[in-house]
Amino acid sequence: MAQSMDTGDEAAERLADVQARIAAAARGAGREPQDVRLIAVSKTFEEPQIAPVLDTGHRLFGENRVQEAKGKWPALKSRYPGVALHLIGPLQSNKAREAVALFDAIHSLDREKIARAVAGEMAAQGKRLELFVQVNTGEEPQKAGVMPQEAAAFVALCRDELKLAVAGLMCIPPVEEEPAVHFAFLAKLAGEMGLSGLSIGMSDDFETAIAFGATHVRVGSAIFGARPPLPANA
Ligand SMILES: *Cc1c(COP(=O)(O)O)cnc(C)c1O
């Protein structure tokens, strides 16, 4: 039935538009488009919106909650071989087992307890995930991520003690600040640590992020449309 509501077809069209913008931004920055991975952030959306995006051939998706992803992705994964799922939201250590089983990457390592739990589960399950350390570049009290001044020590702990292959750094700039400043800062930090992965850029700023070296952009609403508002205390 034709409704004014967002359909999956519109999502597929918007995906193509985002892909074109990513390619243009990469070329504009003297980079190869394929060096920027697009994570389609499907949180809050369900199968009717997600399936048309899968039908285009896109296979890389992001979710911010383990429980929610567990509810919808196993069925989609069996229908669409080759899906890669990235956890982009905070992880609790008691969810590490489920997270390692379901996801192919985690972008939110920020505490020793989580890093240890993930390392233990990867060993137990014989699975290697791509791992990013989240840095709270805006030093916001309520926000996840290691403080910038603690990032080097935390990455060293992950690499040297826990033998985790850290792929790079991730940040979510404060909403009211210029994202470029945070992207530049994170890129510098990653460079100092010899890390090449940069998980930066969302719907409103992924082109800027690409200019600063993003290897992974996490784009939700520009593909799937506006999300329903979260419950007050979510
Ligand atoms: C929701 C979310 C995104 C995508 O946000 P949009 O503005 O909809 O593109 C990216 N990163 C994280 C960590 C998110 O939680």
Side-chain angles (χ1 to χ4, degrees), residues 41 43 64 88-89 170 172 201-204 218-222 227:
V41 178
K43 66 186 185 193
N64 70 336
I88 59 171
M170 178 270 223
I172 307 171
M202 311 192 350
S203 290
D204 290 338
R218 312 177 308 265
V219 180
S221 49
R227 284 180 296 271

Side-chain angles (χ1 to χ4, degrees), residues 66-99:
V66 177
Q67 271 328 101
E68 182 187 337
K70 222 183 124 194
K72 64 191 181 192
W73 277 101
L76 285 167
K77 274 186 168 190
S78 60
R79 260 174 68 198
Y80 296 93
V83 164
L85 264 193
H86 287 205
L87 178 63
I88 59 171
L91 176 61
Q92 269 133 35
S93 51
N94 63 1
K95 295 263 171 63
R97 175 164 307 168
E98 292 171 304

